[in-house]
Amino acid sequence: MANVIVIGAQWGDEGKGKITDLLSRSADIVVRYQGGNNAGHTVVVGDRTFKLHLIPSGILYPKTECIIASGTVIDPQVLLEEVDRLTELGVSTANLFIAQTAHVTMPYHRVLDRAAEDQRAEHKIGTTGRGIGPTYADKSERTGIRMIDLMDQARMPKKLRWAIEQKNIILEKLYNLEPLDADAIIAEYQGYAERLRPHVIDASLKIDEAIRERRNILFEGAQGTLLDLDHGTYPYVTSSNPVAGGACIGAGVGPTCIDRVIGVAKAYTTRVGEGPFPTELHDAIGAQIGDRGAEFGTTTGRKRRCGWFDGVIGRYAVRINGLDCLAVTKLDVLDDLAEIKVCTAYELDGKVVRDFPSDARAFARAVPIYETLSGWQRSTSECKTVEDLPSEAKTYLKFLSDLMEIPIAIISLGASRGQTIIVEDPIHGPKRGLLRS
């Protein structure tokens, strides 16, 4: 038995969807513990590509139960569209369960999100406009609508009407926007409630029962460590806690129930939206990495900013999450490069800094200190074992492992399931080791 958390060790978009999909074949339950439909996972199975935003990646395995836990915020319209798309593709969602205590993203959340971002002008933070931040804000203000409220058809109209009236005041007075039609929204969401009702449960209780039965549980988050509300590059962060500790809060389990934490990092670094990015490349190499890596957001289609691997934020992710192994993705994107740089420290105000600065203004001034390694300049996409990799690729991976002081358990060399080297299975234990010196 193993209860494993999978987290992003950079700014999100690390390829967690593929890694979660691979590990889900050994999991009895996959739990999505935070975030909303402002993030997405892309999973390639054969000649089919699945783009998931709220539903856990484990849904592609018929016997795996999938839970959207309390820490997640749910847009019912988006969730049902995702259910319908999966059904059209022949994927059953009978094993999908939704926490009754999860908060609901409403139309006014989306409108307020976009209006606030527009008003920020040059101070914008790069929100997706999906209403996630305002949903979490209502949750913190204790005025939110939860799934359990949505299921109560007797009380829901009154509670939702009051919420819409309050939001309409803000929309009209602050943003000079048209008010929302409360009757239309109530009718729409009553319809969503009936479709979702069979899936809504006490998720924390179900997870606890699974733990007691010693079933394998995989906890997956959205976004990445550096987008964490408390521990990321604030204010250019998300509205929840993607770090490993967020899994316990979002799923409703104690930390002693967790056996392992695996971090996912690209062989380089990307970031979407605003905010400082010390290793960002503005040259032809950055463009080449972006093109070869197809660096466009699953949810928004926004182009991702690309740069060299940042060992400073990598070590920070190890510390903040308590990582005990790493999955490195998209190694194949670097196949054509003659040289590859890795940031090992920053120069900040005349001093060498090896730890992540929590002040965003200081982080914006950080200048990366690089070590240059030789590229391998041949394809790795067909490699099946560590031994198949070019010697320079193995040297590069070992350098990353030593720099972050963590073993590499999985190496991804492409989008499909088969383009993966499993060095160590985080659920079933070690098979072989890619050792640090």
Side-chain angles (χ1 to χ4, degrees):
M1 186 277 293
N3 298 327
V4 178
I5 301 172
V6 179
I7 63 96
Q10 296 163 320
W11 274 287
D13 306 310
E14 300 96 346
K16 296 184 298 299
K18 176 184 175 180
I19 301 304
T20 303
D21 171 66
L22 287 167
L23 298 178
S24 293
R25 63 188 176 189
S26 301
D28 300 304
I29 297 177
V30 180
V31 180
R32 167 72 182 275
Y33 63 83
Q34 55 76 225
N37 60 295
N38 57 334
H41 292 333
T42 300
V43 180
V44 178
V45 182
D47 60 354
R48 295 195 297 174
T49 298
F50 298 89
K51 293 185 182 293
L52 305 172
H53 301 277
L54 284 167
I55 298 177
S57 305
I59 201 69
L60 301 180
Y61 294 89
K63 295 182 179 180
T64 301
E65 295 180 319
C66 292
I67 298 175
I68 304 176
S70 180
T72 310
V73 295
I74 300 171
D75 186 324
Q77 179 182 2
V78 173
L79 177 57
L80 287 168
E81 287 173 354
E82 198 166 320
V83 167
D84 291 340
R85 283 197 300 271
L86 287 170
T87 301
E88 290 172 2
L89 292 169
V91 177
S92 172
T93 55
N95 281 339
L96 175 66
F97 302 95
I98 303 165
Q100 60 187 5
T101 48
H103 279 249
V104 180
T105 297
M106 306 299 297
Y108 49 78
H109 291 132
R110 296 191 294 268
V111 176
L112 287 168
D113 197 2
R114 292 189 291 267
E117 184 75 343
D118 289 342
Q119 193 176 73
R120 292 186 187 103
E122 70 270 17
H123 302 293
K124 63 181 180 178
I125 57 176
T127 175
T128 62
R130 300 296 200 272
I132 309 305
T135 309
Y136 277 112
D138 279 2
K139 178 179 180 178
S140 297
E141 289 182 349
R142 292 152 290 177
T143 59
I145 305 292
R146 301 192 297 175
M147 292 300 300
I148 199 169
D149 300 315
L150 203 62
M151 296 301 110
D152 190 339
Q153 295 285 37
R155 292 181 64 247
M156 187 270 280
K158 182 178 180 180
K159 185 169 185 176
L160 186 51
R161 187 178 301 278
W162 177 86
I164 295 168
E165 289 173 354
Q166 299 305 306
K167 301 305 180 184
N168 276 343
I169 294 172
I170 299 172
L171 291 173
E172 292 181 273
K173 302 298 184 183
L174 181 59
Y175 296 114
N176 196 30
L177 295 173
E178 292 293 319
L180 299 175
D181 185 335
D183 291 332
I185 293 173
I186 290 169
E188 178 184 358
Y189 277 71
Q190 284 176 326
Y192 295 152
E194 291 312 305
R195 286 197 62 191
L196 292 174
R197 189 178 299 278
H199 300 278
V200 178
I201 62 165
D202 185 336
S204 178
L205 179 59
K206 183 175 180 63
I207 295 169
D208 180 70
E209 290 171 348
I211 291 172
R212 292 175 183 274
E213 294 168 2
R214 302 186 67 80
R215 301 173 73 192
N216 291 331
I217 306 175
L218 194 63
F219 299 86
E220 70 163 339
Q223 290 95 24
T225 299
L226 275 296
L227 290 178
D228 187 89
L229 180 60
D230 292 296
H231 304 288
T233 50
Y234 190 91
Y236 304 103
V237 293
T238 193
S239 307
S240 58
N241 295 107
V243 295
C248 296
I249 297 170
V253 302
T256 54
C257 297
I258 304 302
D259 297 298
R260 302 195 69 176
V261 184
I262 179 169
V264 184
K266 283 176 181 168
Y268 48 98
T269 309
T270 63
R271 179 168 196 173
V272 171
E274 307 299 318
F277 182 2
T279 66
E280 183 175 8
L281 293 166
H282 301 279
D283 57 11
I285 293 178
Q288 178 181 339
I289 291 173
D291 290 342
R292 185 176 172 94
E295 295 297 351
F296 296 92
T298 300
T299 298
T300 64
R302 290 185 296 179
K303 187 174 183 179
R304 298 174 186 142
R305 300 151 65 189
C306 299
W308 297 119
F309 189 92
D310 189 330
V312 178
I313 67 171
R315 288 193 300 268
Y316 179 70
V318 172
R319 171 165 65 87
I320 291 296
N321 294 289
L323 300 183
D324 58 9
C325 58
L326 189 71
V328 176
T329 63
K330 293 197 170 185
L331 182 68
D332 58 299
V333 173
L334 305 180
D335 282 353
D336 294 335
L337 300 180
E339 293 184 336
I340 302 171
K341 293 183 179 181
V342 177
C343 172
T344 58
Y346 301 144
E347 188 279 320
L348 180 59
D349 301 333
K351 297 180 180 179
V352 175
V353 175
R354 299 189 182 278
D355 295 310
F356 171 72
S358 56
D359 185 341
R361 293 169 299 179
F363 187 53
R365 297 195 305 272
V367 178
I369 298 173
Y370 289 116
E371 183 146 345
T372 302
L373 288 81
S374 298
W376 42 95
Q377 294 187 288
R378 68 182 180 92
S379 176
T380 58
S381 61
E382 301 300 322
C383 294
K384 302 300 181 185
T385 68
V386 173
E387 290 74 20
D388 293 338
L389 292 170
S391 60
E392 295 87 353
K394 287 185 283 189
T395 298
Y396 181 70
L397 290 169
K398 192 169 185 304
F399 185 87
L400 300 186
S401 179
D402 290 343
L403 179 64
M404 297 176 66
E405 299 182 351
I406 185 173
I408 294 174
I410 298 172
I411 305 162
S412 176
L413 304 165
S416 70
R417 286 174 173 173
Q419 293 176 299
T420 313
I421 298 172
I422 306 293
V423 184
E424 175 187 349
D425 188 328
I427 292 182
H428 287 137
K431 291 185 177 181
R432 65 177 74 183
L434 186 63
L435 301 177
R436 296 182 284 113
S437 58

